[in-house]
Amino acid sequence: MSVNPVKRKLAAILAADAVGYSRMMAADEEGTMKVLAAHRSVIDGIIQFHEGRIINTAGDSVLAEFASPTQAVRCAVEIQDALKTRNDTLPEGRRMHFRIGVNLGDVMVKGDDLLGDGVNVAARLEGIAEPGHIYVSSSVYDQIAGKLDLGFVDLGEQSLKNIDRPIRAYRVDREGRRTTVGRKPRRASGAWIGAVLAVVALGAGVAWYVAQQSQGRTDEAAKARASAEAELAKARAEAEEARKAAAAATSSAEAAKRALEEQRIAQTRTRAQAELAAARAEAEATRRKADAELAAAAESRRAAEAAAKVRATPQATAGLTAAAPAASPKPAPPTPVKWAGTFACGPVGSAWPSTFTAAVTQVGNAFALAMGRAGQPGVLQMKGQRQPDGSLQLAGSGISSLRDFQGEAYKATISGKFSENRYQGRGTLGTRDCSLTLLTEAAWARQAATFPGPWTASFACAAQESSAPSTYQAAVTVTGQKYELRYGKAGEPGSAAMSGTREPDGRMRVAGKGISRMTEFYGQPYTLEFDGKFAGERYMARGKSGARDCVLSIARR
């Protein structure tokens, strides 16, 4: 029986890792997680934009595959530039820097994972890189030299951990225009460098000494050579001891880091399990209470029907005396009213801004919102009582279905106010900023009919200053390969117009201008710009609406 050969391929590998992550977690766990989630959202989006594939993540590190080393290096440069901009807006103690290594090499394919020397070299280059910098191997440099407007600093051959050959490395100089030569960073211990210098000095001394001796002093030269060889052996032994000591120190530090990470994961898991159990218990209590209320309402309805039947029977009414007053019927329970709820939530972790719907039922002044299946990821239950002034606060809990927080329980609170047949509220689902819009089913149907035609566009935008995450739609007109988008009344706040032409490869850049209706920017003009690609009859793009990060989707109705 033959054994299938190992599948291999040539790939460009990008390895990125946060600097000082454990120290920042120890100082401020929640704040560090928020900064990391925001940074990871930027990193993952740039990798996807450059057609990279994330093959592995471990909290503060990312490993990605690219078909071209040029794409990998361009992606790494954009990541560092974007993170620098984000860090400049943060206090010094909360800034999180990443270091990146890029290698082009042969890798082994195992399912969706990649293994082998090509991956290991990229990870080791990232390990020796300086915070905020990018190190590339000579195999990458040879392929991209002259193709990118970047400078490179030659770091010489590097001895990388667990790599049995020296690797020539280059540091990317994002501000430079020509390749420059720099010194190799000092990463070896003082004892190792001293030993190497001793070896070089002894070898040079032996050569000089032998060259200067006459033929008649052969025995004396032999003695000197033996002494030099002994010194050389001693220097090599000292160098080996220094190398072992450095390796032991590195191994101890890595073991301590792993232990701290495992402890943090265990604490997070325990807390999530406790919150999940509490959420399930609360959901079960709510269900039982609702069942009891429904049973009481059914019993009241049966009693009212029986009383009405007795009053309608002549034999029953004939025996009543004139002095006995007729029993007044109990009021019928209020009719439930159905509402359509739409959440618009900002980014969190690796999740982009998004929208989703929920069913809402009103009985009297009581409102109940529900989505998902009880006890499963994606469930959310909230309740609230409408006040005489039109305000409504909804509160409850849910279980996350997001990739970064899968299965974790969270609390949810939304506060807002009714205006005619529309409710607009703002709050949080766990740590995610969200807004909630409620419309009656009739109003929802009227709104859906506002954008006739075969195509529709929707925007999902992140929060900005006092404005919550939001979603809105636009009318789309298609003429050949040209797409035009409009919403609002031209020339008035809340309006925008933009257009783009679809390229043969499916890519399209959409740009235009609008007038803001946000309170702090009311009446001010702004620009809109999106870059994305079609997949079948659906277009997805990321970009800016003024200063807000948004996602644009265009699809057939």
Side-chain angles (χ1 to χ4, degrees):
M1 180 177 180
S2 62
V3 179
N4 292 331
V6 176
K7 186 177 180 180
R8 293 178 175 272
K9 68 177 180 178
L10 187 67
I13 304 299
L14 181 150
D17 185 66
V19 180
Y21 176 73
S22 298
R23 173 183 55 78
M24 295 178 68
M25 285 291 290
D28 181 10
E29 189 174 79
E30 293 186 0
T32 300
M33 287 300 296
K34 290 182 179 179
V35 174
L36 177 62
H39 278 32
R40 276 296 308 278
S41 178
V42 172
I43 292 172
D44 293 359
I46 294 176
I47 290 174
Q48 183 180 12
F49 183 81
H50 286 279
E51 300 180 344
R53 180 177 72 91
I54 296 177
I55 56 178
N56 196 3
T57 60
D60 61 327
S61 65
V62 179
L63 200 64
E65 172 200 11
F66 294 83
S68 162
T70 304
Q71 286 179 305
V73 174
R74 184 180 286 118
C75 177
V77 170
E78 290 190 15
I79 287 173
Q80 293 292 27
D81 289 344
L83 295 185
K84 182 179 184 303
T85 301
R86 287 190 57 80
N87 283 327
D88 288 344
T89 65
L90 298 174
E92 182 66 29
R94 297 189 64 190
R95 295 177 181 177
M96 183 179 293
H97 301 280
F98 276 71
R99 50 194 179 196
I100 299 177
V102 183
N103 180 49
L104 174 66
D106 185 74
V107 297
M108 296 184 294
V109 180
K110 184 179 180 182
D112 291 335
D113 202 1
L114 299 180
L115 306 171
D117 193 62
V119 177
N120 296 337
V121 170
R124 297 308 180 194
L125 285 174
E126 171 269 315
I128 68 171
E130 301 168 15
H133 285 272
I134 305 164
Y135 282 15
V136 302
S137 64
S138 58
S139 61
V140 174
Y141 174 80
D142 292 340
Q143 295 297 320
I144 68 173
K147 297 179 181 179
L148 299 176
D149 190 15
L150 297 169
F152 296 89
V153 177
D154 187 351
L155 304 177
E157 293 188 340
Q158 302 289 314
S159 295
L160 303 179
K161 182 179 178 182
N162 295 334
I163 305 299
D164 58 4
R165 68 186 188 284
I167 301 296
R168 194 172 193 87
Y170 296 81
R171 184 178 73 234
V172 177
D173 182 5
R174 306 200 299 278
E175 302 298 330
R177 297 295 178 184
R178 297 182 302 171
T179 301
T180 58
V181 180
R183 293 189 303 171
K184 174 180 176 181
R186 296 180 60 189
R187 300 191 63 84
S189 65
W192 176 263
I193 295 174
V196 173
L197 293 176
V199 170
V200 174
L202 286 171
V206 170
W208 177 85
Y209 182 77
V210 172
Q212 298 298 318
Q213 302 309 305
S214 64
Q215 184 65 33
R217 301 175 65 184
T218 303
D219 294 340
E220 189 173 334
K223 292 180 181 179
R225 187 180 300 110
S227 176
E229 289 176 353
E231 292 294 333
L232 181 59
K234 181 179 179 182
R236 286 174 175 169
E238 292 177 351
E240 180 64 18
E241 288 297 326
R243 187 189 65 77
K244 291 181 178 179
T250 301
S251 177
S252 177
E254 290 180 350
K257 180 180 178 180
R258 284 195 301 271
L260 181 60
E261 183 67 14
E262 290 173 357
Q263 181 182 3
R264 185 188 67 79
I265 292 173
Q267 291 175 348
T268 302
R269 184 183 297 111
T270 301
R271 183 168 59 251
Q273 290 174 348
E275 293 178 352
L276 177 60
R280 287 175 174 172
E282 183 176 349
E284 180 63 19
T286 301
R287 185 188 65 78
R288 291 178 179 176
K289 182 178 179 182
D291 290 345
E293 291 174 351
L294 289 174
E299 183 63 28
S300 298
R301 184 174 65 254
R302 286 194 296 269
E305 291 173 352
K309 185 175 181 181
V310 169
R311 288 194 300 272
T313 303
Q315 291 84 352
T317 56
L320 296 178
T321 62
S328 60
K330 293 183 178 180
T335 303
V337 179
K338 298 294 184 180
W339 294 74
T342 302
F343 284 96
C345 295
V348 61
S350 62
W352 289 8
S354 61
T355 62
F356 49 93
T357 60
V360 180
T361 302
Q362 176 191 1
V363 179
N365 288 323
F367 284 75
L369 180 148
M371 58 180 289
R373 186 176 180 182
Q376 300 297 320
V379 65
L380 174 62
Q381 295 181 337
M382 305 178 72
K383 288 187 175 183
Q385 194 81 12
R386 178 172 178 171
Q387 301 302 313
D389 63 353
S391 62
L392 171 65
Q393 182 179 45
L394 295 169
S397 60
I399 302 174
S400 179
S401 61
L402 298 176
R403 184 181 66 181
D404 295 345
F405 309 98
Q406 183 75 18
E408 294 187 10
Y410 63 87
K411 299 294 184 181
T413 304
I414 298 290
S415 297
K417 198 169 185 178
F418 283 89
S419 177
E420 297 182 351
N421 289 329
R422 182 185 182 93
Y423 170 83
Q424 191 68 47
R426 181 179 179 182
T428 56
L429 302 186
T431 59
R432 198 176 190 188
D433 293 327
C434 299
S435 66
L436 172 63
T437 301
L438 298 183
L439 293 173
T440 62
E441 291 185 338
W444 179 270
R446 287 194 300 272
Q447 177 174 289
T450 304
F451 300 97
W455 293 86
T456 184
S458 63
F459 295 82
C461 296
Q464 181 187 19
E465 296 185 9
S466 63
S467 298
S470 60
T471 178
Y472 49 94
Q473 292 183 306
V476 181
T477 302
V478 181
T479 306
Q481 300 300 320
K482 184 176 182 181
Y483 289 72
E484 296 180 285
L485 285 71
R486 295 182 304 277
Y487 58 83
K489 189 174 182 180
E492 294 186 359
S495 65
M498 51 198 307
S499 63
T501 301
R502 179 173 179 172
E503 302 295 336
D505 62 354
R507 293 188 175 276
M508 183 169 71
R509 176 179 177 272
V510 182
K513 295 185 179 296
I515 303 175
S516 178
R517 65 179 180 185
M518 297 171 63
T519 302
E520 58 267 40
F521 307 108
Y522 190 81
Q524 296 183 15
Y526 65 91
T527 59
L528 301 96
E529 187 171 355
F530 294 84
D531 280 297
K533 192 172 184 179
F534 280 89
E537 295 188 339
R538 185 178 184 85
Y539 170 81
M540 290 293 294
R542 295 183 68 186
K544 293 281 190 179
S545 176
R548 301 180 80 183
D549 294 321
C550 300
V551 175
L552 167 62
S553 174
I554 302 176
R556 282 189 181 274
R557 293 175 63 89

